[in-house]
Every structure is written in C-alpha cells, then in structure tokens.
Amino acid sequence: MPRLGFGAFLAPHHPIGEHPMLQFRRDLDLVEHLDRLGYDEFWCGEHHSSGWEMIASPEMFLAAAGERTKRIKLATGVVSLPYHHPFNVAQRMVQLDHMTGGRVIFGSGPGALASDAHTLGIDPMLLRDRQDEAIGIIRRLFQGERISYRGDWFQLNDAALQLLPLQEEMPFAVASQISPSGMTLAGKHGIGIISIGSLSTEGLNALPTQWGFAEQAARKHGTTVDRKNWRVLLSWHIAETREKARAEARDGLMRHHNEYITGTLQRPGAKPFTDPDEAVEKTAYGPGAVATIGTPDDLIARIKEVLALSGGFGTVVGFVHDWANPENTFRSWDMVARYVVPEINGYLAGLRRSREFVAANREYFDRAREAVMAKITENESAAAALKATRSQYLAASASNLPDFDKQRG
C-alpha cells in the first residue's frame, strides 16, 4: 500500500481582535511544531480582504517558516496568479526554493475571494484563463527558456530567469473546488491538484468524478497526471474522547461558521447555527457531515472512507482553523501525528506482528526459562536468594524470567 502523505493548510482562521504580530508568530510556531511531528507539507495562501486572513504574500511567510523548519515542504496555497506579473511570481518562487533548500511546492489558483479581484479591478470572468496563461509562462521560465510574449495583461521582452529552481522539477499544484476547471487545468499542464472543495458535502461527493476530468484533459493535451500528486483537504479536531473534542471545538466552530462563512462571505445556502451544539452536530455528526470532531479512531475511519470514495490520492491535508484554543489545536495535530498517521500508513503492523509472535510461541521461551533456573540452582547463594524473592513484578522485560513462585514451591 502506498504511503499517504499528511499536510496542513492554513485556513481563514484569524478572528478580528487578536494582535496581528502575535498571530503571525503563532502561525510560525505551528509550522515549526508540524515539522517536529514529521508532517510532509504546510500550505498557506494569498488574501487581501475579508478581515479573517492576513497573509498577503505566502512567499514571505514561507521564507520565515523555512528558517524555523528543517524538512517539511512549504507550499503556496495558493498564489493568485491573475493578480501578478508571471515573471515576478517565477522569480519569487525560485528565490524561495533556494532559501528553503529546495522544499517548495508551487500552488496556484485564480483567486479565492471575489472581494480581492474587486479590489484589484479584475473582471472575475478573466481569472481562470489568466491563471492558465500564467502557468504556461512560468513553467517555460523554470525550464530556462528566454521568452518574448505579449498578452492582454502582461508582456515579456527576451525574459529569462537569472536563477532556476534549486529543485530539478519544482512541484506544481492547482486548487480545485467543485467545478471541473481546476482538474482540467491540472490535466492540461500535467501537474498536481489540491482539492479544496472536499470541505463541503458537494465537493466530497464530487471526488469520484473529479479525477476523470484531469485524466480526460491530460489525454487531450498529451500529458500525464498521477494520483500521488492529488491532495485532498479535510477538516478535523481530535482529542482523547469525542466528548472532549466536542467541548474544545464547539464555540470556535460556531464563530467561524456564523461570523465568517455566513456573516462575511455570505456563502449561498449557508445558514448560521443557533448554538454550539448544533454547530458540532451538523458539521461532524449529522447527515452530510464532512468534518471529524472526535478521536484518532474517528479520523482514521474518515480518511479510509474518503480514500475509498475518491479512488485514492497521495496526500491528505488538514484544515488549520481556530475552532479550539491554540493549546488544544497544537495537541490535536500532535495526536494525529502520533496515532492517525502510523495507523493509516501501516507503521505499526510490524510491531504488532512481533508482539503476537512472542505471545503465541511459548515453547522456545519456556526452554529459555529452564536455562535461567538451571544456572540459579547451580549456585548455592543464588538458590538461597531465590527463597527471599517475593514479587513477580520485577523491573525487567526479559521474556525468559522464571516463575519464582513456582520454583520456590
């Protein structure tokens, strides 16, 4: 079974009221924490409005994160390509790749917030075509081409990068929601995908057909796509018990939904929750629930369910939110690393087989006990000491320790 990667995606989780400087530092602390726990990837994106997300430049944030981490991949989730000249994006990503020692994943999108496009005076109907156009140019620049190009919104005159990426092949990924556009774009360019729409019931139900759009586009354009480069986004909060997880997440979940999803974004069809219990029940336990608020076992079951539903993908990416306070949020990610990751990837199978072998094959170990007793009884002092031995609960783990009560009898 292929190993499943695990990553984290920094969500719209900055409620107004906390000092921005401290929020940035807390987010960097989280990346450092995830790196120590062995997570594979960390994603953060670009936003310019709404009040809930402050990172305007994911490249700047990830450069700082690169100095505090050692092995975790650092991904832009995403750079909104229509907002930038493609040459500038290419240069920033190359610099980031060198500064982080070749740990960059280049994730791009058309722009998540309509308010951002409005701020910059860009017609939303142009966003996806511009993203497509920019990806093609950036890939050519990364390959060392010198390009002259004139488009509707940018031009290049004998443009070539002074530095190429440190990685021989910097990974590309595009954001995909419910429509086929993201998957189709990934297939056209033969690059990876991060499915953000899986956070909704509609997006989760669409997963079985989504991959087909990527494969169809790849065949049309003579490229290839691989499920190992498909990332699926899920939401969770994990604790030792379901009751504890619910208690930790309920108030923050309600605030996130009522104040951001319905109050700020005014997402079609979204209705505010009446109380925190309803928030938890409908988000994680009711019909169509897509989040997991519970124990490691609950998340293991959910990941296996989504793997089966989708037909398989390469990395599961968790949504980093402020449902719980910082301490419990960090604890949740710790528990996923300790208990969910090894179970999903089979890291414990060998240990379990070893334990079962020792427990089931007693003949050899009984013979070893006899050997120990033979040596004890050969020595008068040792035999005398055996009579004074009172407890069978010795501070030793050797399986060849004899039954002292039986021997004294």
Side-chain angles (χ1 to χ4, degrees):
M1 176 180 172
R3 173 185 175 275
L4 187 69
F6 279 78
F9 189 102
L10 196 62
H13 76 145
H14 297 166
I16 298 169
E18 184 171 359
H19 196 303
M21 177 188 72
L22 298 179
Q23 182 66 70
F24 282 134
R25 290 180 179 176
R26 173 150 65 91
D27 289 340
L28 288 170
D29 289 343
L30 175 64
V31 187
E32 195 171 4
H33 183 61
L34 297 172
D35 185 53
R36 286 195 300 269
L37 291 172
Y39 282 91
D40 299 289
E41 301 173 0
F42 175 83
W43 295 71
C44 73
E46 170 189 355
H47 300 88
H48 304 284
S49 57
S50 87
W52 275 67
E53 301 180 81
M54 303 186 304
I55 296 177
S57 170
E59 303 97 323
M60 288 183 65
F61 183 88
L62 295 176
E67 291 299 298
R68 296 176 59 167
T69 56
K70 297 178 180 178
R71 55 167 300 282
I72 195 169
K73 294 280 187 177
L74 301 169
T76 56
V78 295
V79 173
S80 300
L81 291 182
Y83 303 167
H84 309 274
H85 194 297
F87 188 84
N88 289 336
V89 175
Q91 287 209 118
R92 292 198 299 268
M93 294 306 300
V94 168
Q95 179 174 331
L96 182 62
D97 201 38
H98 280 266
M99 291 177 66
T100 60
R103 290 189 280 143
V104 167
I105 301 170
F106 177 38
S108 73
L113 298 178
S115 51
D116 287 353
H118 174 75
T119 297
L120 296 169
I122 303 173
D123 183 351
M125 298 299 291
L126 302 174
L127 296 176
R128 283 161 181 78
D129 288 342
R130 288 188 177 184
Q131 181 194 3
D132 183 4
E133 186 179 10
I135 288 175
I137 291 294
I138 292 170
R139 296 195 79 199
R140 291 173 61 191
L141 289 169
F142 280 2
Q143 292 163 4
E145 289 189 40
R146 185 174 294 278
I147 303 172
S148 292
Y149 182 89
R150 183 176 293 275
D152 294 334
W153 56 291
F154 72 92
Q155 72 179 64
L156 295 167
N157 298 319
D158 298 318
L161 296 175
Q162 297 183 106
L163 281 176
L164 296 182
L166 183 60
Q167 300 176 82
E168 186 173 347
E169 188 76 28
M170 183 189 292
F172 273 60
V174 293
S176 172
Q177 297 202 42
I178 299 172
S179 74
S181 59
M183 285 288 188
T184 301
L185 189 60
K188 176 182 178 179
H189 293 282
I191 56 181
I193 307 105
I194 179 165
S195 288
I196 299 174
S198 53
L199 293 173
S200 69
T201 305
E202 296 81 5
L204 194 61
N205 292 336
L207 287 180
T209 58
Q210 286 282 303
W211 187 252
F213 297 132
E215 290 182 322
Q216 183 179 358
R219 285 192 297 269
K220 178 180 178 180
H221 294 278
T223 63
T224 59
V225 286
D226 194 323
R227 283 180 178 268
K228 73 179 182 182
N229 298 322
W230 185 12
R231 297 162 176 90
V232 172
L233 198 59
L234 298 177
S235 275
W236 61 66
H237 179 73
I238 302 303
E240 289 82 357
T241 66
R242 287 184 182 179
E243 293 72 23
K244 185 176 180 182
R246 293 173 68 115
E248 292 173 353
R250 61 198 297 274
D251 294 323
L253 168 58
M254 181 172 172
R255 181 179 184 186
H256 177 270
H257 179 84
N258 286 9
E259 295 186 18
Y260 184 65
I261 301 300
T262 63
T264 303
L265 299 183
Q266 301 179 31
R267 190 165 293 168
K271 299 178 180 179
F273 297 128
T274 57
D275 59 66
D277 289 327
E278 182 194 16
V280 172
E281 198 64 31
K282 288 187 175 179
T283 302
Y285 293 97
V290 293
T292 302
I293 299 175
T295 67
D297 287 340
D298 292 327
L299 183 55
I300 290 166
R302 170 51 61 97
I303 292 172
K304 289 181 177 179
E305 175 189 337
V306 177
L307 280 168
L309 175 70
S310 66
F313 48 85
T315 302
V316 59
V317 182
F319 210 44
V320 182
H321 42 62
D322 276 339
W323 293 355
N325 65 31
E327 294 77 17
N328 290 330
T329 298
F330 276 50
R331 174 65 174 158
S332 173
W333 287 93
D334 182 280
M335 294 191 72
V336 173
R338 292 181 186 278
Y339 306 116
V340 177
V341 174
E343 194 66 45
I344 290 291
N345 286 327
Y347 297 155
L348 305 178
L351 296 172
R352 288 177 177 142
R353 286 194 300 268
S354 180
R355 191 213 69 81
E356 290 164 4
F357 179 83
V358 172
N361 294 272
R362 303 313 309 161
E363 292 183 5
Y364 176 81
F365 304 114
D366 289 341
R367 178 68 173 163
R369 288 195 182 99
E370 293 173 11
V372 172
M373 279 308 306
K375 288 298 180 183
I376 291 175
T377 54
E378 285 177 5
N379 185 293
E380 289 186 12
S381 298
L386 177 61
K387 296 178 181 179
T389 302
R390 298 185 178 279
S391 176
Q392 59 178 318
Y393 302 107
L394 300 179
S397 61
S399 61
N400 58 355
L401 285 177
D403 186 334
F404 293 118
D405 289 336
K406 180 179 179 182
Q407 296 301 327
R408 284 197 301 273

PDB file of all heavy atoms in Angstrom, residues 95 123 167 191 247 259 321 339 390:
ATOM      1  N   GLN A  95      13.510  32.126  -5.780  1.00  0.00           N
ATOM      2  CA  GLN A  95      14.257  32.594  -4.611  1.00  0.00           C
ATOM      3  C   GLN A  95      13.855  31.817  -3.369  1.00  0.00           C
ATOM      4  O   GLN A  95      14.706  31.401  -2.566  1.00  0.00           O
ATOM      5  CB  GLN A  95      14.023  34.084  -4.393  1.00  0.00           C
ATOM      6  CG  GLN A  95      14.763  34.633  -3.172  1.00  0.00           C
ATOM      7  CD  GLN A  95      14.635  36.142  -3.049  1.00  0.00           C
ATOM      8  OE1 GLN A  95      14.484  36.842  -4.054  1.00  0.00           O
ATOM      9  NE2 GLN A  95      14.713  36.644  -1.825  1.00  0.00           N
ATOM     10  N   ASP A 123     -11.904  41.673 -13.698  1.00  0.00           N
ATOM     11  CA  ASP A 123     -13.179  41.031 -14.003  1.00  0.00           C
ATOM     12  C   ASP A 123     -13.087  39.551 -13.621  1.00  0.00           C
ATOM     13  O   ASP A 123     -12.206  38.837 -14.125  1.00  0.00           O
ATOM     14  CB  ASP A 123     -13.465  41.169 -15.501  1.00  0.00           C
ATOM     15  CG  ASP A 123     -14.818  40.580 -15.908  1.00  0.00           C
ATOM     16  OD1 ASP A 123     -15.466  39.911 -15.078  1.00  0.00           O
ATOM     17  OD2 ASP A 123     -15.203  40.791 -17.071  1.00  0.00           O
ATOM     18  N   GLN A 167      15.326  22.835  -7.009  1.00  0.00           N
ATOM     19  CA  GLN A 167      14.826  21.503  -7.336  1.00  0.00           C
ATOM     20  C   GLN A 167      14.897  21.287  -8.846  1.00  0.00           C
ATOM     21  O   GLN A 167      14.618  22.186  -9.626  1.00  0.00           O
ATOM     22  CB  GLN A 167      13.379  21.337  -6.874  1.00  0.00           C
ATOM     23  CG  GLN A 167      13.177  21.502  -5.390  1.00  0.00           C
ATOM     24  CD  GLN A 167      11.716  21.420  -5.015  1.00  0.00           C
ATOM     25  OE1 GLN A 167      11.171  20.337  -4.868  1.00  0.00           O
ATOM     26  NE2 GLN A 167      11.082  22.574  -4.838  1.00  0.00           N
ATOM     27  N   ILE A 191       0.139  18.555 -14.005  1.00  0.00           N
ATOM     28  CA  ILE A 191       0.638  18.950 -12.684  1.00  0.00           C
ATOM     29  C   ILE A 191      -0.310  18.442 -11.601  1.00  0.00           C
ATOM     30  O   ILE A 191      -1.306  17.791 -11.880  1.00  0.00           O
ATOM     31  CB  ILE A 191       0.796  20.487 -12.597  1.00  0.00           C
ATOM     32  CG1 ILE A 191      -0.519  21.197 -12.917  1.00  0.00           C
ATOM     33  CG2 ILE A 191       1.903  20.947 -13.538  1.00  0.00           C
ATOM     34  CD1 ILE A 191      -0.439  22.727 -12.879  1.00  0.00           C
ATOM     35  N   ALA A 247     -16.252  19.525  23.160  1.00  0.00           N
ATOM     36  CA  ALA A 247     -16.186  20.648  24.096  1.00  0.00           C
ATOM     37  C   ALA A 247     -15.133  21.667  23.672  1.00  0.00           C
ATOM     38  O   ALA A 247     -15.329  22.882  23.820  1.00  0.00           O
ATOM     39  CB  ALA A 247     -15.889  20.131  25.507  1.00  0.00           C
ATOM     40  N   GLU A 259     -19.701  33.865  11.762  1.00  0.00           N
ATOM     41  CA  GLU A 259     -19.122  35.172  11.505  1.00  0.00           C
ATOM     42  C   GLU A 259     -18.383  35.245  10.176  1.00  0.00           C
ATOM     43  O   GLU A 259     -18.345  36.317   9.550  1.00  0.00           O
ATOM     44  CB  GLU A 259     -18.182  35.569  12.649  1.00  0.00           C
ATOM     45  CG  GLU A 259     -18.896  35.758  13.986  1.00  0.00           C
ATOM     46  CD  GLU A 259     -17.972  36.284  15.062  1.00  0.00           C
ATOM     47  OE1 GLU A 259     -16.892  36.815  14.711  1.00  0.00           O
ATOM     48  OE2 GLU A 259     -18.312  36.168  16.255  1.00  0.00           O
ATOM     49  N   HIS A 321      -7.562  25.594  11.620  1.00  0.00           N
ATOM     50  CA  HIS A 321      -8.566  26.597  11.960  1.00  0.00           C
ATOM     51  C   HIS A 321      -8.468  26.952  13.439  1.00  0.00           C
ATOM     52  O   HIS A 321      -7.663  26.390  14.181  1.00  0.00           O
ATOM     53  CB  HIS A 321      -9.961  26.067  11.644  1.00  0.00           C
ATOM     54  CG  HIS A 321     -10.135  24.625  12.045  1.00  0.00           C
ATOM     55  ND1 HIS A 321     -10.032  24.195  13.348  1.00  0.00           N
ATOM     56  CD2 HIS A 321     -10.346  23.514  11.300  1.00  0.00           C
ATOM     57  CE1 HIS A 321     -10.199  22.885  13.401  1.00  0.00           C
ATOM     58  NE2 HIS A 321     -10.389  22.439  12.178  1.00  0.00           N
ATOM     59  N   TYR A 339      -0.947   9.001  16.347  1.00  0.00           N
ATOM     60  CA  TYR A 339      -1.861   7.850  16.313  1.00  0.00           C
ATOM     61  C   TYR A 339      -2.533   7.617  14.957  1.00  0.00           C
ATOM     62  O   TYR A 339      -2.790   6.470  14.598  1.00  0.00           O
ATOM     63  CB  TYR A 339      -2.931   8.010  17.394  1.00  0.00           C
ATOM     64  CG  TYR A 339      -2.337   8.226  18.762  1.00  0.00           C
ATOM     65  CD1 TYR A 339      -2.532   9.423  19.457  1.00  0.00           C
ATOM     66  CD2 TYR A 339      -1.541   7.248  19.355  1.00  0.00           C
ATOM     67  CE1 TYR A 339      -1.964   9.623  20.706  1.00  0.00           C
ATOM     68  CE2 TYR A 339      -0.970   7.449  20.606  1.00  0.00           C
ATOM     69  CZ  TYR A 339      -1.186   8.638  21.275  1.00  0.00           C
ATOM     70  OH  TYR A 339      -0.615   8.837  22.506  1.00  0.00           O
ATOM     71  N   ARG A 390      10.251 -12.152  46.553  1.00  0.00           N
ATOM     72  CA  ARG A 390       8.827 -12.139  46.909  1.00  0.00           C
ATOM     73  C   ARG A 390       7.908 -11.692  45.773  1.00  0.00           C
ATOM     74  O   ARG A 390       6.757 -12.095  45.741  1.00  0.00           O
ATOM     75  CB  ARG A 390       8.605 -11.232  48.123  1.00  0.00           C
ATOM     76  CG  ARG A 390       9.348 -11.730  49.351  1.00  0.00           C
ATOM     77  CD  ARG A 390       9.022 -10.886  50.561  1.00  0.00           C
ATOM     78  NE  ARG A 390       9.694 -11.384  51.742  1.00  0.00           N
ATOM     79  CZ  ARG A 390       9.299 -12.388  52.495  1.00  0.00           C
ATOM     80  NH1 ARG A 390       8.178 -13.025  52.155  1.00  0.00           N
ATOM     81  NH2 ARG A 390       9.966 -12.795  53.541  1.00  0.00           N
TER      82      ARG A 390
END
